[in-house]
Amino acid sequence: MTVLIVDDQEKILEATKKLVDWERLHIDKVYTADSAAAAKEILNRCPVDIMLTDIEMPEEDGISLHKWQVENHPYVYCIFLTSHADFSYAKEAIRRGAFDYILQPASIPEIEETIERCIEKLKERTTILQKTTRYDELTEQADFPEERKPDSVRWSKWLIRGDHTLVRNQIVNLLRLAGEDGYLTINYRQQVIHAFLEACSVACYDKKLELPKLFSEDFTYEKMLHSYHTDEELCSGIDKFLHIYAKAASEIEGREEGSYTVQERIREVIRYLEENMDRMVSRREAAKYVFLNEDYFSRMFRKETEMGFKEYQLKIKMDYAGKLLANTTMPVTLIASKVGYENFTNFSQMFRKVMGVTPTEYRKMNQNT
């Protein structure tokens, strides 16, 4: 397994190469490049599995480098490193098919954890491809007529005007023709997926939708990006996304909406906490959910709610637990699990800290009032 680190700052390059525990991650070789041009040279010359690249670089940035890499070395997974907390950077990284992005300054454990997840995906992909008897044939670069090149510009126009079925039908037709004429390779399916996601990104921008939010834990952007092994898998992913997109577009149609403000992001996090009441949401997870730097998110959350993130999450959990205690006969242990506490003692202590009494005392005081 090999990794390429790309950053125009020599100190960051050396620190990352030195501090990350590559041996534990089973990384055999680590290359470094101080520019996009140097990175391309290494990618053309050496086998690379994972590329960690800074976004903000002079001459040619990481976004441009990744676009080139996808076209020339599509089997390389890319992780973006960026100190820019602007949502547009994160959105662009996801749109281009990055495995993930890490906001700098990042801890070494965070970098290692992201690489570990990436390695697992690489192993999954390798297993799937090894099961494909036509692996060598499918990964070849095959020529095809120019008029059958996936057309993201046309598809985006159709999506914007609501012709979702037209997009789907043309993709099915392109795949059918490719199969009949012998150029239906994994590379061609990847081109179809990238063009489709490019069109979706443009359409979402026009509709003032956030592309990443249309995906979920069960149906991730990465899963869509790598649904190139069979026509059935690819079309299934497209059908799922078009259904989600059509619903979101119809809901937002006619509503004027400005930029994705900090206030809106905090409201999104509050809604997210309420939807995930049965587990503990970390500050890091919440900040990443709305594409903000973790420290900046903490300051803005306190400013908007007049409470720290952990304090706020604890309060809404205990408020919800109080409602369940007062209005149901549900066992206290079950109520504890519904607000994310598997350990009853911990729940009882936190409840008393917030409410001033134990859960049992609170139920006695409120159930008959």
Side-chain angles (χ1 to χ4, degrees):
M1 194 79 70
T2 58
V3 169
L4 168 62
I5 311 169
V6 189
D7 200 301
D8 62 305
Q9 298 182 56
E10 187 178 347
K11 287 183 179 179
I12 293 178
L13 274 180
E14 292 305 314
T16 306
K17 185 176 181 180
K18 181 180 179 181
L19 297 175
V20 171
D21 190 345
W22 303 110
E23 186 177 348
R24 184 182 68 80
L25 296 171
H26 303 292
I27 301 296
D28 305 310
K29 181 70 176 177
V30 179
Y31 300 99
T32 59
D34 60 5
S35 67
K40 289 178 182 179
E41 195 176 310
I42 292 172
L43 287 166
N44 284 332
R45 180 167 43 88
C46 309
V48 173
D49 297 298
I50 301 170
M51 178 173 72
L52 285 82
T53 178
D54 186 19
I55 289 184
E56 302 88 9
M57 295 188 293
E59 297 180 13
E60 184 178 0
D61 64 22
I63 299 290
S64 175
L65 170 61
H66 178 51
K67 183 178 180 181
W68 176 90
Q69 170 257 304
V70 167
E71 293 172 353
N72 294 274
H73 301 280
Y75 285 93
V76 176
Y77 274 134
C78 179
I79 299 170
F80 283 116
L81 300 168
T82 178
S83 57
H84 207 303
D86 191 313
F87 174 70
S88 63
Y89 272 71
K91 181 173 73 172
E92 184 71 3
I94 291 172
R95 185 170 75 86
R96 290 295 179 189
F99 174 78
D100 205 345
Y101 70 92
I102 302 172
L103 286 174
Q104 298 281 47
S107 66
I108 294 301
E110 183 179 358
I111 294 174
E112 291 178 344
E113 185 270 335
T114 305
I115 293 173
E116 280 184 301
R117 286 191 291 106
C118 192
I119 290 171
E120 286 304 309
K121 289 297 178 184
L122 275 166
K123 289 179 180 177
E124 287 175 17
R125 185 184 70 183
T126 300
T127 301
I128 292 171
L129 291 176
Q130 285 174 343
K131 290 178 181 177
T132 306
T133 56
R134 295 174 60 219
Y135 174 70
D136 292 333
E137 177 187 345
L138 290 171
T139 53
E140 289 177 355
Q141 293 278 353
D143 294 327
F144 54 87
E146 182 64 27
E147 65 268 20
R148 293 184 188 172
K149 182 178 181 179
D151 192 344
S152 63
V153 175
R154 179 182 294 180
W155 294 351
S156 64
K157 290 178 181 177
W158 291 348
L159 288 173
I160 289 169
R161 74 186 191 202
D163 288 335
H164 313 132
T165 304
L166 192 58
V167 175
R168 200 263 184 194
N169 288 346
Q170 183 170 89
I171 290 174
V172 171
N173 194 44
L174 285 175
L175 294 172
R176 179 182 61 80
L177 291 171
E180 290 174 356
D181 293 344
Y183 57 85
L184 185 56
T185 63
I186 285 178
N187 181 270
Y188 185 78
R189 288 198 189 101
Q190 284 179 319
Q191 290 190 46
V192 171
I193 293 169
H194 283 290
F196 175 72
L197 291 172
E198 182 88 16
C200 293
S201 177
V202 173
C204 284
Y205 180 81
D206 181 83
K207 300 293 184 183
K208 294 184 172 62
L209 292 167
E210 304 296 343
L211 179 64
K213 291 186 181 179
L214 299 186
F215 292 91
S216 64
E217 196 171 25
D218 295 326
F219 180 53
T220 63
Y221 182 95
E222 188 189 1
K223 187 174 182 179
M224 179 71 230
L225 190 67
H226 296 101
S227 61
Y228 49 68
H229 301 105
T230 66
D231 291 357
E232 183 178 358
E233 182 185 21
L234 197 160
C235 291
S236 175
I238 288 172
D239 285 342
K240 284 180 184 177
F241 183 85
L242 287 177
H243 174 74
I244 296 166
Y245 168 82
K247 183 179 179 181
S250 64
E251 288 175 352
I252 206 168
E253 208 70 49
R255 181 168 71 90
E256 292 186 4
E257 189 178 82
S259 60
Y260 193 33
T261 65
V262 170
Q263 290 76 17
E264 288 173 325
R265 298 184 201 210
I266 299 305
R267 286 198 294 271
E268 279 291 311
V269 168
I270 290 172
R271 180 185 61 78
Y272 187 66
L273 290 176
E274 291 170 348
E275 290 176 351
N276 291 275
M277 193 70 75
D278 61 343
R279 67 184 186 87
M280 294 298 176
V281 176
S282 69
R283 186 180 71 166
R284 177 185 166 196
E285 178 186 346
K288 195 166 186 178
Y289 181 69
V290 288
F291 303 93
L292 289 176
N293 173 278
E294 192 173 337
D295 291 334
Y296 179 70
F297 165 76
S298 291
R299 294 196 300 273
M300 292 302 101
F301 191 93
R302 183 176 290 277
K303 181 180 178 182
E304 291 299 315
T305 65
E306 298 183 347
M307 297 175 73
F309 175 76
K310 287 185 177 179
E311 181 187 4
Y312 185 91
Q313 182 173 206
L314 178 62
K315 182 180 183 305
I316 64 170
K317 283 181 179 294
M318 295 307 121
D319 284 346
Y320 181 58
K323 289 178 182 178
L324 293 177
L325 287 165
N327 300 303
T328 74
T329 57
M330 192 180 295
V332 180
T333 51
L334 181 57
I335 292 175
S337 68
K338 281 189 170 292
V339 291
Y341 286 86
E342 296 304 322
N343 186 302
F344 174 74
T345 302
N346 287 347
F347 166 70
S348 186
Q349 289 174 347
M350 291 299 102
F351 190 89
R352 183 166 190 165
K353 179 180 177 181
V354 175
M355 299 299 197
V357 293
T358 67
T360 304
E361 290 169 341
Y362 187 91
R363 170 166 273 172
K364 288 178 180 178
M365 292 166 54
N366 291 276
Q367 210 160 38
N368 297 319
T369 58

